[in-house]
Amino acid sequence: MRFFIWLVRAFIFFALFAFALNNQHDASVKWFFGQEWRAPMVFIVLGAFGLGCALGVFAMVPSWWKHWRVARRLQPSNDVIDTTAPAPAVSPDLAPEHPPRDGL
């Protein structure tokens, strides 16, 4: 199964690489006030993709901060520690099991 997954990844990589090689002709991006940027098509597409990823991350930052604040507020404080109660023993059978990391 892992071989098949790596085969799919290799196919996707080579398909995108072939797309980049086939789109090497110049394209122009027209800005305001008559400004124009000329570059190979693959660089323009790559720049648009990178800008979209960056904007998506920046759009998620306020939500991440909100969840981080809520998690910090709900986290038990270390000020009050009950030393009379024994610490619960976690057996290896009850430890959380993580699923295997398969997929793309």
Side-chain angles (χ1 to χ4, degrees):
M1 185 67 180
R2 288 182 190 253
F3 177 75
F4 178 71
I5 291 171
W6 277 103
L7 194 64
V8 169
R9 288 178 182 171
F11 174 76
I12 291 172
F13 171 78
F14 286 117
L16 292 175
F17 188 70
F19 174 77
L21 288 177
N22 287 331
N23 289 302
Q24 289 184 358
H25 61 279
D26 279 348
S28 63
V29 177
K30 295 182 181 5
W31 300 96
F32 298 108
F33 308 114
Q35 295 292 327
E36 183 177 347
W37 178 49
R38 298 187 63 79
M41 175 73 78
V42 70
F43 290 143
I44 293 173
V45 171
L46 181 64
F49 176 74
L51 187 62
C53 288
L55 287 175
V57 167
F58 286 135
M60 289 296 298
V61 166
S63 176
W64 290 337
W65 284 344
K66 177 184 174 187
H67 288 292
W68 182 76
R69 283 193 305 266
V70 168
R72 292 286 297 212
R73 190 171 6 128
L74 294 177
Q75 187 178 17
S77 65
N78 293 336
D79 296 340
V80 180
I81 299 175
D82 186 13
T83 58
T84 60
V90 177
S91 70
D93 297 335
L94 298 177
E97 182 178 328
H98 299 287
R101 188 175 185 274
D102 287 335
L104 296 177

